[in-house]
Amino acid sequence: MKKHFTGLLFVFLLFLFGCTINDEEIQTATIDQTKASFEAKPPAAGDKSGSISYYLPEGYKAEAGKTNNVIFTKGDQQYILFVNENEKETSSFFYDTLLEQYKDPLVNETFEDKGRFGYILVDKLKADDEYEVSAGIGGVKMTTQTKSREVADTAEQMMKIVSSVSFE
């Protein structure tokens, strides 16, 4: 009986630790995945809201759009895409503005290539296991809130969307 209890306890602890992710793992995975999306060829924009065209990954839905922003959902998670057509792809305006809001972001990484300035910022929120994720290129940024285990994948998808944005 004692062996079974010890075995079950071990399996439970292994499962528990396997489901948690620490800050260093979040940082490394988020930076790596977002950088790869930034450096990759942007996906073709197949969806449109007003004058904004964009790529929408599988499972995402456009819920509402206005002249300069679009709200997306994936399941119960909400994403907001902001577009400032007056800012060039080399602009750091959105990034600088976000840095003023975040006191000590968990992830603060910038990327530059081909005349573009991109970034990923992740800030831990007060709520347990909640993070605010913002990804952007120039005058285009996307923001959401997510759980620790979803930060890197969410950031990667957001960078794909942001890099695909074009406007008429």
Side-chain angles (χ1 to χ4, degrees):
M1 178 81 169
K2 193 173 185 179
K3 284 184 181 182
H4 292 298
F5 178 74
T6 305
L8 281 173
L9 181 61
F10 178 74
V11 169
F12 175 74
L13 289 175
L14 186 63
F15 177 75
L16 181 65
F17 289 121
C19 289
T20 60
I21 183 168
N22 66 39
D23 288 350
E24 187 175 310
E25 292 171 321
I26 292 171
Q27 291 168 328
T28 301
T30 301
I31 292 168
D32 291 348
Q33 289 179 230
T34 308
K35 182 177 181 182
S37 287
F38 177 80
E39 293 174 345
K41 180 180 177 187
D47 291 277
K48 188 172 182 173
S49 178
S51 64
I52 304 168
S53 296
Y54 50 85
Y55 160 77
L56 202 55
E58 188 175 324
Y60 288 72
K61 293 179 185 174
E63 295 294 327
K66 293 189 178 183
T67 305
N68 294 350
N69 59 51
V70 182
I71 297 172
F72 301 104
T73 58
K74 181 180 179 189
D76 61 352
Q77 189 168 340
Q78 192 172 61
Y79 303 77
I80 303 172
L81 176 71
F82 299 93
V83 177
N84 183 339
E85 297 176 21
N86 297 318
E87 296 293 327
K88 296 180 181 178
E89 285 188 313
T90 56
S91 173
S92 64
F93 175 77
F94 278 145
Y95 172 75
D96 295 335
T97 302
L98 284 169
L99 273 183
E100 291 175 10
Q101 296 173 21
Y102 298 154
K103 291 182 178 29
D104 186 26
L106 177 65
V107 176
N108 176 3
E109 192 73 19
T110 61
F111 316 103
E112 292 185 63
D113 78 351
K114 303 174 192 167
R116 300 180 308 154
F117 174 81
Y119 62 88
I120 182 67
L121 287 163
V122 177
D123 195 37
K124 186 164 176 61
L125 300 174
K126 290 181 182 181
D128 209 22
D129 197 40
E130 284 288 322
Y131 295 81
E132 183 170 288
V133 180
S134 294
I137 297 175
V140 179
K141 82 167 180 171
M142 192 168 194
T143 301
T144 194
Q145 292 180 0
T146 194
K147 302 283 185 199
S148 62
R149 295 204 58 66
E150 299 170 5
V151 169
D153 291 338
T154 296
E156 177 183 21
Q157 293 300 318
M158 289 169 58
M159 185 56 79
K160 285 180 182 178
I161 295 168
V162 166
S163 68
S164 75
V165 171
S166 62
F167 29 90
E168 299 164 5

